[in-house]
Short mmCIF file of all heavy atoms in Angstrom, two decimals:
data_model
loop_
_atom_site.label_atom_id
_atom_site.label_comp_id
_atom_site.label_asym_id
_atom_site.label_seq_id
_atom_site.Cartn_x
_atom_site.Cartn_y
_atom_site.Cartn_z
N MET A 1 -2.96 -6.16 -24.62
CA MET A 1 -1.74 -5.65 -24.25
C MET A 1 -1.38 -4.40 -25.11
O MET A 1 -1.57 -4.40 -26.31
CB MET A 1 -0.62 -6.80 -24.55
CG MET A 1 0.80 -6.30 -24.18
SD MET A 1 2.10 -7.50 -24.60
CE MET A 1 1.55 -9.01 -24.01
N LEU A 2 -0.78 -3.39 -24.41
CA LEU A 2 -0.31 -2.16 -25.20
C LEU A 2 1.06 -1.92 -24.74
O LEU A 2 1.34 -1.86 -23.45
CB LEU A 2 -1.33 -1.07 -24.82
CG LEU A 2 -0.92 0.29 -25.31
CD1 LEU A 2 -1.08 0.29 -26.87
CD2 LEU A 2 -1.89 1.34 -24.73
N LEU A 3 2.00 -1.72 -25.60
CA LEU A 3 3.34 -1.48 -25.27
C LEU A 3 3.68 -0.18 -26.04
O LEU A 3 3.57 0.00 -27.32
CB LEU A 3 4.26 -2.55 -25.81
CG LEU A 3 4.01 -3.93 -25.15
CD1 LEU A 3 4.96 -4.97 -25.94
CD2 LEU A 3 4.28 -3.98 -23.76
N LEU A 4 4.07 0.88 -25.28
CA LEU A 4 4.44 2.24 -25.80
C LEU A 4 5.86 2.56 -25.64
O LEU A 4 6.32 2.50 -24.47
CB LEU A 4 3.49 3.31 -25.18
CG LEU A 4 2.01 3.05 -25.25
CD1 LEU A 4 1.26 4.06 -24.38
CD2 LEU A 4 1.63 3.29 -26.68
N PRO A 5 6.54 2.96 -26.64
CA PRO A 5 8.00 3.35 -26.43
C PRO A 5 8.24 4.61 -25.74
O PRO A 5 7.31 5.48 -25.83
CB PRO A 5 8.50 3.50 -27.91
CG PRO A 5 7.39 3.78 -28.73
CD PRO A 5 6.12 3.09 -28.05
N LEU A 6 9.19 4.65 -24.80
CA LEU A 6 9.40 5.86 -24.11
C LEU A 6 10.86 6.44 -24.52
O LEU A 6 11.82 5.73 -24.55
CB LEU A 6 9.54 5.53 -22.58
CG LEU A 6 8.16 5.10 -21.93
CD1 LEU A 6 8.43 4.70 -20.54
CD2 LEU A 6 7.12 6.21 -22.12
N LYS A 7 10.86 7.70 -24.98
CA LYS A 7 12.09 8.31 -25.37
C LYS A 7 12.90 8.91 -24.14
O LYS A 7 12.27 9.37 -23.20
CB LYS A 7 11.86 9.48 -26.40
CG LYS A 7 11.41 9.04 -27.71
CD LYS A 7 11.47 10.21 -28.74
CE LYS A 7 10.81 11.44 -28.17
NZ LYS A 7 10.83 12.49 -29.28
N SER A 8 14.17 8.93 -24.13
CA SER A 8 15.00 9.50 -23.21
C SER A 8 15.19 11.01 -23.45
O SER A 8 14.70 11.44 -24.58
CB SER A 8 16.34 8.84 -23.03
OG SER A 8 17.12 9.10 -24.15
N ASP A 9 15.94 11.74 -22.69
CA ASP A 9 16.21 13.10 -23.03
C ASP A 9 17.02 13.32 -24.26
O ASP A 9 16.95 14.32 -24.90
CB ASP A 9 16.90 13.80 -21.79
CG ASP A 9 16.02 13.93 -20.57
OD1 ASP A 9 14.71 13.85 -20.75
OD2 ASP A 9 16.57 14.09 -19.51
N LEU A 10 17.72 12.27 -24.58
CA LEU A 10 18.64 12.38 -25.77
C LEU A 10 17.86 11.89 -27.02
O LEU A 10 18.35 11.95 -28.16
CB LEU A 10 19.82 11.46 -25.61
CG LEU A 10 20.66 11.83 -24.43
CD1 LEU A 10 21.78 10.84 -24.21
CD2 LEU A 10 21.27 13.22 -24.56
N GLY A 11 16.59 11.42 -26.91
CA GLY A 11 15.83 11.02 -28.09
C GLY A 11 15.80 9.59 -28.45
O GLY A 11 15.08 9.17 -29.37
N ASP A 12 16.63 8.76 -27.72
CA ASP A 12 16.66 7.37 -28.09
C ASP A 12 15.45 6.64 -27.35
O ASP A 12 15.12 7.03 -26.26
CB ASP A 12 17.99 6.70 -27.81
CG ASP A 12 18.36 6.82 -26.29
OD1 ASP A 12 18.01 7.79 -25.65
OD2 ASP A 12 19.11 5.92 -25.93
N VAL A 13 15.08 5.51 -27.87
CA VAL A 13 13.97 4.71 -27.25
C VAL A 13 14.73 3.63 -26.37
O VAL A 13 15.24 2.73 -27.05
CB VAL A 13 13.07 4.17 -28.25
CG1 VAL A 13 12.04 3.32 -27.47
CG2 VAL A 13 12.35 5.23 -29.02
N GLY A 14 14.64 3.76 -25.07
CA GLY A 14 15.39 2.71 -24.27
C GLY A 14 14.45 1.97 -23.34
O GLY A 14 14.84 1.04 -22.64
N ARG A 15 13.16 2.38 -23.20
CA ARG A 15 12.27 1.70 -22.27
C ARG A 15 10.90 1.69 -22.99
O ARG A 15 10.57 2.37 -23.95
CB ARG A 15 12.15 2.55 -20.97
CG ARG A 15 13.46 2.44 -20.20
CD ARG A 15 13.24 3.25 -19.01
NE ARG A 15 13.91 4.53 -19.23
CZ ARG A 15 13.84 5.58 -18.43
NH1 ARG A 15 13.21 5.47 -17.32
NH2 ARG A 15 14.51 6.66 -18.75
N ILE A 16 9.98 0.93 -22.45
CA ILE A 16 8.54 0.85 -22.86
C ILE A 16 7.64 0.94 -21.65
O ILE A 16 7.97 0.51 -20.53
CB ILE A 16 8.23 -0.40 -23.63
CG1 ILE A 16 8.50 -1.67 -22.88
CG2 ILE A 16 9.01 -0.48 -24.91
CD1 ILE A 16 7.88 -2.93 -23.44
N LEU A 17 6.45 1.44 -21.89
CA LEU A 17 5.42 1.42 -20.91
C LEU A 17 4.33 0.45 -21.44
O LEU A 17 3.96 0.56 -22.61
CB LEU A 17 4.80 2.82 -20.75
CG LEU A 17 3.68 3.05 -19.81
CD1 LEU A 17 4.12 2.78 -18.39
CD2 LEU A 17 3.09 4.41 -19.94
N GLY A 18 3.93 -0.52 -20.57
CA GLY A 18 2.98 -1.56 -21.09
C GLY A 18 1.80 -1.85 -20.17
O GLY A 18 2.00 -1.51 -18.95
N VAL A 19 0.79 -2.33 -20.61
CA VAL A 19 -0.38 -2.72 -19.90
C VAL A 19 -0.96 -4.00 -20.49
O VAL A 19 -0.93 -4.20 -21.80
CB VAL A 19 -1.40 -1.56 -19.82
CG1 VAL A 19 -1.94 -1.24 -21.29
CG2 VAL A 19 -2.57 -2.00 -18.93
N LEU A 20 -1.49 -4.86 -19.68
CA LEU A 20 -2.20 -6.08 -20.07
C LEU A 20 -3.53 -6.15 -19.39
O LEU A 20 -3.61 -5.94 -18.18
CB LEU A 20 -1.32 -7.26 -19.68
CG LEU A 20 -1.96 -8.65 -19.98
CD1 LEU A 20 -2.05 -8.90 -21.40
CD2 LEU A 20 -1.16 -9.76 -19.27
N VAL A 21 -4.53 -6.29 -20.21
CA VAL A 21 -5.93 -6.31 -19.61
C VAL A 21 -6.39 -7.71 -19.77
O VAL A 21 -6.35 -8.34 -20.79
CB VAL A 21 -6.82 -5.34 -20.43
CG1 VAL A 21 -8.23 -5.48 -19.94
CG2 VAL A 21 -6.44 -3.97 -20.30
N SER A 22 -6.95 -8.23 -18.65
CA SER A 22 -7.44 -9.61 -18.55
C SER A 22 -8.97 -9.54 -18.51
O SER A 22 -9.54 -8.77 -17.61
CB SER A 22 -6.87 -10.33 -17.38
OG SER A 22 -7.50 -11.57 -17.18
N ASP A 23 -9.74 -10.26 -19.27
CA ASP A 23 -11.23 -10.22 -19.28
C ASP A 23 -11.69 -11.66 -19.14
O ASP A 23 -11.25 -12.54 -19.70
CB ASP A 23 -11.65 -9.66 -20.65
CG ASP A 23 -13.16 -9.40 -20.57
OD1 ASP A 23 -13.79 -9.32 -19.49
OD2 ASP A 23 -13.79 -9.38 -21.65
N GLY A 24 -12.59 -11.90 -18.25
CA GLY A 24 -13.30 -13.25 -18.10
C GLY A 24 -13.08 -13.74 -16.74
O GLY A 24 -12.63 -13.01 -15.81
N ALA A 25 -13.42 -15.05 -16.50
CA ALA A 25 -13.37 -15.64 -15.16
C ALA A 25 -11.89 -15.82 -14.87
O ALA A 25 -11.09 -16.09 -15.67
CB ALA A 25 -14.02 -16.97 -15.25
N ILE A 26 -11.58 -15.66 -13.62
CA ILE A 26 -10.13 -15.78 -12.98
C ILE A 26 -9.72 -17.14 -13.20
O ILE A 26 -8.63 -17.39 -13.77
CB ILE A 26 -10.14 -15.18 -11.58
CG1 ILE A 26 -10.35 -13.75 -11.56
CG2 ILE A 26 -8.78 -15.59 -10.99
CD1 ILE A 26 -10.46 -13.18 -10.28
N GLY A 27 -10.37 -18.23 -12.74
CA GLY A 27 -10.02 -19.62 -12.85
C GLY A 27 -8.72 -19.89 -11.98
O GLY A 27 -8.34 -19.11 -11.29
N ALA A 28 -8.27 -21.16 -12.21
CA ALA A 28 -7.19 -21.65 -11.36
C ALA A 28 -5.86 -21.22 -12.02
O ALA A 28 -5.75 -20.92 -13.31
CB ALA A 28 -7.30 -23.23 -11.28
N THR A 29 -4.77 -21.30 -11.28
CA THR A 29 -3.42 -20.98 -11.80
C THR A 29 -2.93 -22.19 -12.48
O THR A 29 -3.27 -23.30 -12.19
CB THR A 29 -2.46 -20.49 -10.68
OG1 THR A 29 -2.36 -21.61 -9.66
CG2 THR A 29 -2.94 -19.25 -10.11
N PRO A 30 -2.11 -22.10 -13.51
CA PRO A 30 -1.46 -20.92 -14.12
C PRO A 30 -2.36 -20.34 -15.08
O PRO A 30 -3.31 -20.94 -15.68
CB PRO A 30 -0.25 -21.45 -14.82
CG PRO A 30 -0.50 -22.89 -15.16
CD PRO A 30 -1.57 -23.31 -14.07
N ARG A 31 -2.21 -18.98 -15.23
CA ARG A 31 -3.00 -18.27 -16.21
C ARG A 31 -2.46 -18.35 -17.64
O ARG A 31 -1.25 -18.35 -17.83
CB ARG A 31 -3.07 -16.77 -15.93
CG ARG A 31 -3.39 -16.44 -14.41
CD ARG A 31 -4.88 -16.65 -14.12
NE ARG A 31 -5.20 -16.16 -12.86
CZ ARG A 31 -5.45 -16.94 -11.74
NH1 ARG A 31 -5.16 -18.11 -11.83
NH2 ARG A 31 -5.78 -16.42 -10.58
N ARG A 32 -3.28 -18.51 -18.67
CA ARG A 32 -2.84 -18.51 -19.99
C ARG A 32 -3.57 -17.41 -20.75
O ARG A 32 -4.76 -17.22 -20.65
CB ARG A 32 -3.07 -19.83 -20.70
CG ARG A 32 -2.13 -20.92 -20.01
CD ARG A 32 -2.31 -22.28 -20.68
NE ARG A 32 -1.34 -23.23 -20.32
CZ ARG A 32 -1.30 -23.80 -19.16
NH1 ARG A 32 -2.20 -23.60 -18.22
NH2 ARG A 32 -0.35 -24.65 -18.85
N PHE A 33 -2.85 -16.79 -21.67
CA PHE A 33 -3.45 -15.64 -22.41
C PHE A 33 -3.26 -15.94 -23.91
O PHE A 33 -2.39 -16.55 -24.36
CB PHE A 33 -2.83 -14.29 -22.12
CG PHE A 33 -3.03 -13.88 -20.73
CD1 PHE A 33 -1.99 -14.16 -19.72
CD2 PHE A 33 -4.04 -13.17 -20.29
CE1 PHE A 33 -2.19 -13.76 -18.40
CE2 PHE A 33 -4.25 -12.86 -18.97
CZ PHE A 33 -3.39 -13.16 -18.05
N THR A 34 -4.28 -15.50 -24.72
CA THR A 34 -4.27 -15.57 -26.18
C THR A 34 -4.31 -14.25 -26.74
O THR A 34 -5.03 -13.44 -26.33
CB THR A 34 -5.56 -16.43 -26.68
OG1 THR A 34 -5.43 -17.70 -25.99
CG2 THR A 34 -5.47 -16.70 -28.08
N ILE A 35 -3.49 -14.07 -27.79
CA ILE A 35 -3.55 -12.73 -28.57
C ILE A 35 -4.52 -12.97 -29.69
O ILE A 35 -4.39 -13.74 -30.55
CB ILE A 35 -2.18 -12.43 -29.10
CG1 ILE A 35 -1.14 -12.16 -27.90
CG2 ILE A 35 -2.12 -11.15 -29.89
CD1 ILE A 35 0.30 -12.09 -28.30
N SER A 36 -5.65 -12.12 -29.54
CA SER A 36 -6.65 -12.26 -30.54
C SER A 36 -6.49 -11.44 -31.80
O SER A 36 -7.01 -11.69 -32.94
CB SER A 36 -8.03 -11.90 -29.94
OG SER A 36 -7.98 -10.60 -29.43
N ALA A 37 -5.75 -10.33 -31.70
CA ALA A 37 -5.49 -9.50 -32.81
C ALA A 37 -4.16 -8.69 -32.47
O ALA A 37 -3.80 -8.56 -31.26
CB ALA A 37 -6.64 -8.57 -33.05
N ASN A 38 -3.52 -8.11 -33.53
CA ASN A 38 -2.35 -7.24 -33.27
C ASN A 38 -2.28 -6.18 -34.27
O ASN A 38 -2.84 -6.28 -35.36
CB ASN A 38 -1.09 -8.16 -33.28
CG ASN A 38 -0.72 -8.71 -34.55
OD1 ASN A 38 -0.83 -7.98 -35.64
ND2 ASN A 38 -0.50 -9.99 -34.61
N ASN A 39 -1.67 -5.07 -33.84
CA ASN A 39 -1.50 -3.87 -34.65
C ASN A 39 -0.08 -3.39 -34.44
O ASN A 39 0.16 -2.86 -33.31
CB ASN A 39 -2.55 -2.88 -34.45
CG ASN A 39 -2.38 -1.70 -35.23
OD1 ASN A 39 -1.41 -1.62 -36.13
ND2 ASN A 39 -3.27 -0.67 -35.01
N LEU A 40 0.95 -3.67 -35.24
CA LEU A 40 2.23 -3.28 -35.04
C LEU A 40 2.62 -1.92 -35.92
O LEU A 40 2.23 -1.86 -36.98
CB LEU A 40 3.19 -4.32 -35.29
CG LEU A 40 3.02 -5.70 -34.67
CD1 LEU A 40 3.97 -6.75 -35.13
CD2 LEU A 40 3.26 -5.54 -33.20
N ARG A 41 3.33 -1.06 -35.19
CA ARG A 41 3.81 0.14 -35.90
C ARG A 41 5.28 0.26 -35.44
O ARG A 41 5.70 0.12 -34.24
CB ARG A 41 3.15 1.33 -35.47
CG ARG A 41 1.73 1.44 -36.03
CD ARG A 41 1.02 2.72 -35.87
NE ARG A 41 0.76 2.95 -34.45
CZ ARG A 41 0.56 4.15 -33.93
NH1 ARG A 41 0.49 5.19 -34.59
NH2 ARG A 41 0.36 4.28 -32.64
N PRO A 42 6.24 0.40 -36.40
CA PRO A 42 7.56 0.57 -36.04
C PRO A 42 7.96 1.82 -35.22
O PRO A 42 7.26 2.86 -35.23
CB PRO A 42 8.37 0.58 -37.44
CG PRO A 42 7.28 1.15 -38.35
CD PRO A 42 5.93 0.62 -37.85
N VAL A 43 8.90 1.58 -34.35
CA VAL A 43 9.35 2.67 -33.47
C VAL A 43 10.03 3.86 -34.33
O VAL A 43 10.03 4.98 -33.81
CB VAL A 43 10.37 2.20 -32.44
CG1 VAL A 43 10.87 3.31 -31.52
CG2 VAL A 43 9.72 1.18 -31.59
N SER A 44 10.37 3.56 -35.57
CA SER A 44 11.00 4.61 -36.41
C SER A 44 10.11 5.80 -36.66
O SER A 44 10.62 6.83 -37.07
CB SER A 44 11.50 4.05 -37.71
OG SER A 44 10.34 3.54 -38.44
N HIS A 45 8.84 5.72 -36.38
CA HIS A 45 7.92 6.91 -36.46
C HIS A 45 8.04 7.81 -35.33
O HIS A 45 7.42 8.98 -35.50
CB HIS A 45 6.48 6.43 -36.67
CG HIS A 45 6.26 5.65 -37.91
ND1 HIS A 45 6.27 6.29 -39.17
CD2 HIS A 45 5.95 4.36 -38.22
CE1 HIS A 45 5.99 5.38 -40.19
NE2 HIS A 45 5.84 4.15 -39.55
N VAL A 46 8.83 7.51 -34.33
CA VAL A 46 9.02 8.41 -33.17
C VAL A 46 9.88 9.56 -33.69
O VAL A 46 10.89 9.34 -34.26
CB VAL A 46 9.67 7.66 -31.95
CG1 VAL A 46 9.97 8.59 -30.92
CG2 VAL A 46 8.77 6.58 -31.58
N GLN A 47 9.48 10.81 -33.34
CA GLN A 47 10.27 11.90 -33.75
C GLN A 47 11.51 12.06 -32.83
O GLN A 47 11.31 12.16 -31.65
CB GLN A 47 9.39 13.12 -33.81
CG GLN A 47 8.34 13.18 -34.74
CD GLN A 47 7.45 14.38 -34.69
OE1 GLN A 47 7.74 15.26 -33.90
NE2 GLN A 47 6.49 14.57 -35.55
N VAL A 48 12.63 12.09 -33.44
CA VAL A 48 13.87 12.28 -32.85
C VAL A 48 14.30 13.77 -32.90
O VAL A 48 14.21 14.35 -33.93
CB VAL A 48 14.96 11.38 -33.31
CG1 VAL A 48 16.24 11.62 -32.58
CG2 VAL A 48 14.52 10.01 -33.27
N PRO A 49 14.68 14.38 -31.82
CA PRO A 49 15.12 15.80 -31.86
C PRO A 49 16.22 16.01 -32.72
O PRO A 49 17.14 15.19 -32.83
CB PRO A 49 15.42 16.20 -30.48
CG PRO A 49 15.04 15.17 -29.62
CD PRO A 49 14.77 13.84 -30.40
N LYS A 50 16.25 17.04 -33.60
CA LYS A 50 17.33 17.49 -34.36
C LYS A 50 18.49 17.96 -33.56
O LYS A 50 18.28 18.49 -32.53
CB LYS A 50 16.91 18.42 -35.45
CG LYS A 50 15.77 18.02 -36.30
CD LYS A 50 15.29 19.02 -37.27
CE LYS A 50 14.18 18.40 -38.03
NZ LYS A 50 13.43 19.47 -38.73
N PRO A 51 19.79 17.74 -34.07
CA PRO A 51 20.93 18.22 -33.21
C PRO A 51 20.89 19.77 -32.94
O PRO A 51 21.36 20.14 -31.98
CB PRO A 51 22.11 17.87 -34.15
CG PRO A 51 21.59 16.80 -35.02
CD PRO A 51 20.14 17.00 -35.28
N SER A 52 20.18 20.53 -33.74
CA SER A 52 20.12 21.98 -33.54
C SER A 52 19.12 22.34 -32.52
O SER A 52 19.15 23.38 -31.94
CB SER A 52 19.72 22.74 -34.86
OG SER A 52 18.52 22.27 -35.30
N GLN A 53 18.17 21.42 -32.18
CA GLN A 53 17.17 21.69 -31.09
C GLN A 53 17.83 21.60 -29.78
O GLN A 53 18.60 20.68 -29.46
CB GLN A 53 16.04 20.71 -31.20
CG GLN A 53 15.17 20.94 -32.52
CD GLN A 53 14.06 19.85 -32.47
OE1 GLN A 53 14.17 18.70 -32.10
NE2 GLN A 53 12.84 20.28 -33.02
N THR A 54 17.41 22.37 -28.85
CA THR A 54 17.83 22.34 -27.39
C THR A 54 16.75 21.61 -26.60
O THR A 54 15.52 21.96 -26.88
CB THR A 54 18.20 23.65 -26.80
OG1 THR A 54 17.00 24.58 -26.96
CG2 THR A 54 19.34 24.22 -27.63
N LEU A 55 17.07 20.87 -25.66
CA LEU A 55 16.16 20.19 -24.82
C LEU A 55 16.05 20.96 -23.55
O LEU A 55 17.10 21.33 -22.94
CB LEU A 55 16.58 18.80 -24.50
CG LEU A 55 16.62 17.80 -25.80
CD1 LEU A 55 17.25 16.51 -25.33
CD2 LEU A 55 15.26 17.71 -26.42
N GLU A 56 14.87 21.33 -23.17
CA GLU A 56 14.63 22.08 -21.97
C GLU A 56 14.58 21.12 -20.73
O GLU A 56 13.85 20.13 -20.82
CB GLU A 56 13.43 22.98 -22.04
CG GLU A 56 13.53 24.02 -22.96
CD GLU A 56 12.35 24.98 -23.08
OE1 GLU A 56 11.69 25.15 -22.03
OE2 GLU A 56 12.04 25.50 -24.04
N THR A 57 15.22 21.44 -19.60
CA THR A 57 15.11 20.58 -18.45
C THR A 57 14.68 21.49 -17.23
O THR A 57 14.87 22.59 -17.30
CB THR A 57 16.41 19.90 -18.11
OG1 THR A 57 17.43 20.93 -17.94
CG2 THR A 57 16.83 18.98 -19.29
N GLY A 58 14.33 20.84 -16.23
CA GLY A 58 13.94 21.49 -14.93
C GLY A 58 12.43 21.89 -14.87
O GLY A 58 11.64 21.32 -15.61
N PHE A 59 12.09 22.72 -13.93
CA PHE A 59 10.82 23.07 -13.72
C PHE A 59 10.28 24.25 -14.59
O PHE A 59 11.11 25.00 -15.08
CB PHE A 59 10.68 23.47 -12.17
CG PHE A 59 10.92 22.33 -11.25
CD1 PHE A 59 12.06 22.22 -10.56
CD2 PHE A 59 9.93 21.36 -11.06
CE1 PHE A 59 12.36 21.18 -9.75
CE2 PHE A 59 10.17 20.32 -10.19
CZ PHE A 59 11.36 20.22 -9.49
N ALA A 60 9.05 24.37 -14.83
CA ALA A 60 8.52 25.43 -15.52
C ALA A 60 8.62 26.87 -14.97
O ALA A 60 8.81 27.75 -15.56
CB ALA A 60 7.04 25.15 -15.93
N GLU A 61 8.44 26.76 -13.62
CA GLU A 61 8.52 28.10 -12.84
C GLU A 61 9.78 28.09 -11.91
O GLU A 61 10.34 27.03 -11.65
CB GLU A 61 7.26 28.26 -11.98
CG GLU A 61 5.96 28.27 -12.69
CD GLU A 61 5.43 26.86 -12.88
OE1 GLU A 61 5.79 25.96 -12.17
OE2 GLU A 61 4.56 26.70 -13.72
N ASP A 62 10.10 29.23 -11.57
CA ASP A 62 11.24 29.34 -10.63
C ASP A 62 10.78 28.86 -9.27
O ASP A 62 9.61 29.04 -8.82
CB ASP A 62 11.68 30.88 -10.44
CG ASP A 62 12.41 31.34 -11.64
OD1 ASP A 62 12.96 30.52 -12.47
OD2 ASP A 62 12.35 32.54 -11.97
N GLN A 63 11.68 28.16 -8.52
CA GLN A 63 11.33 27.73 -7.18
C GLN A 63 11.24 28.93 -6.17
O GLN A 63 12.03 29.81 -6.33
CB GLN A 63 12.41 26.69 -6.70
CG GLN A 63 12.28 25.42 -7.46
CD GLN A 63 13.28 24.38 -6.85
OE1 GLN A 63 14.22 24.74 -6.31
NE2 GLN A 63 12.96 23.06 -7.00
N GLN A 64 10.32 28.79 -5.32
CA GLN A 64 10.25 29.84 -4.21
C GLN A 64 10.59 29.18 -2.78
O GLN A 64 10.33 27.91 -2.69
CB GLN A 64 8.82 30.35 -4.21
CG GLN A 64 8.43 31.05 -5.41
CD GLN A 64 6.92 31.50 -5.46
OE1 GLN A 64 6.26 31.35 -4.51
NE2 GLN A 64 6.52 32.16 -6.58
N ASN A 65 11.03 30.04 -2.03
CA ASN A 65 11.39 29.49 -0.63
C ASN A 65 10.12 29.09 0.09
O ASN A 65 9.04 29.81 0.00
CB ASN A 65 12.14 30.53 0.15
CG ASN A 65 13.45 30.80 -0.34
OD1 ASN A 65 14.06 29.86 -0.99
ND2 ASN A 65 14.01 32.02 -0.21
N LEU A 66 10.09 28.04 0.80
CA LEU A 66 8.92 27.55 1.62
C LEU A 66 9.07 28.31 3.03
O LEU A 66 10.02 28.12 3.75
CB LEU A 66 8.98 26.09 1.65
CG LEU A 66 7.85 25.45 2.54
CD1 LEU A 66 6.59 25.72 1.90
CD2 LEU A 66 8.18 23.94 2.70
N THR A 67 7.90 28.89 3.26
CA THR A 67 7.97 29.53 4.63
C THR A 67 6.78 28.89 5.45
O THR A 67 5.67 28.77 4.96
CB THR A 67 7.61 31.07 4.48
OG1 THR A 67 6.32 31.24 3.81
CG2 THR A 67 8.72 31.85 3.85
N VAL A 68 7.22 28.33 6.58
CA VAL A 68 6.29 27.64 7.45
C VAL A 68 6.10 28.40 8.76
O VAL A 68 7.13 28.70 9.38
CB VAL A 68 6.83 26.17 7.75
CG1 VAL A 68 5.90 25.51 8.74
CG2 VAL A 68 7.11 25.45 6.43
N PRO A 69 4.93 28.82 8.99
CA PRO A 69 4.70 29.51 10.28
C PRO A 69 4.96 28.71 11.59
O PRO A 69 4.60 27.51 11.60
CB PRO A 69 3.10 29.90 10.23
CG PRO A 69 2.54 28.98 9.19
CD PRO A 69 3.63 28.56 8.30
N VAL A 70 5.66 29.32 12.48
CA VAL A 70 5.92 28.58 13.68
C VAL A 70 5.10 29.10 14.83
O VAL A 70 5.13 30.32 15.00
CB VAL A 70 7.44 28.77 14.06
CG1 VAL A 70 7.81 28.10 15.36
CG2 VAL A 70 8.34 28.30 12.78
N HIS A 71 4.37 28.25 15.48
CA HIS A 71 3.48 28.64 16.57
C HIS A 71 4.09 28.15 17.84
O HIS A 71 4.43 27.05 18.07
CB HIS A 71 2.14 28.04 16.50
CG HIS A 71 1.39 28.42 15.22
ND1 HIS A 71 0.85 29.65 15.06
CD2 HIS A 71 1.15 27.73 13.99
CE1 HIS A 71 0.29 29.78 13.86
NE2 HIS A 71 0.45 28.54 13.23
N ILE A 72 4.38 29.14 18.85
CA ILE A 72 4.97 28.69 20.08
C ILE A 72 3.97 28.85 21.21
O ILE A 72 3.15 29.73 21.30
CB ILE A 72 6.15 29.62 20.40
CG1 ILE A 72 7.20 29.43 19.33
CG2 ILE A 72 6.74 29.33 21.71
CD1 ILE A 72 8.49 30.25 19.34
#
């Protein structure tokens, strides 16, 4: 299992992205999992933007008009 914190545009951690990998025979339901090892790091190591920093939003390039050829 891997759980990664996700920061919002304001810099706070409000969500996580996670994955669970299962290894071995599938077997019958219900499934049971055992945690064999763990490595925990606090979320406080996430860099929070300083108030003087500005957050950029939007697309990297200017949008262009879409021109679709019309065949009659």
Side-chain angles (χ1 to χ4, degrees):
M1 180 184 314
L2 174 66
L3 301 173
L4 302 170
L6 296 175
K7 290 192 312 181
S8 71
D9 292 339
L10 301 174
D12 60 329
V13 177
R15 293 179 261 174
I16 61 169
L17 178 66
V19 63
L20 174 69
V21 177
S22 174
D23 187 24
I26 294 176
T29 59
R31 312 282 191 263
R32 290 182 172 76
F33 298 95
T34 302
I35 298 174
S36 59
N38 63 49
N39 180 3
L40 301 175
R41 289 189 293 164
V43 177
S44 63
H45 292 291
V46 176
Q47 294 181 357
V48 178
K50 297 174 185 167
S52 62
Q53 291 177 327
T54 58
L55 299 174
E56 295 183 27
T57 59
F59 295 102
E61 300 89 18
D62 291 333
Q63 289 183 334
Q64 298 177 0
N65 291 332
L66 178 64
T67 56
V68 179
V70 178
H71 298 286
I72 299 179

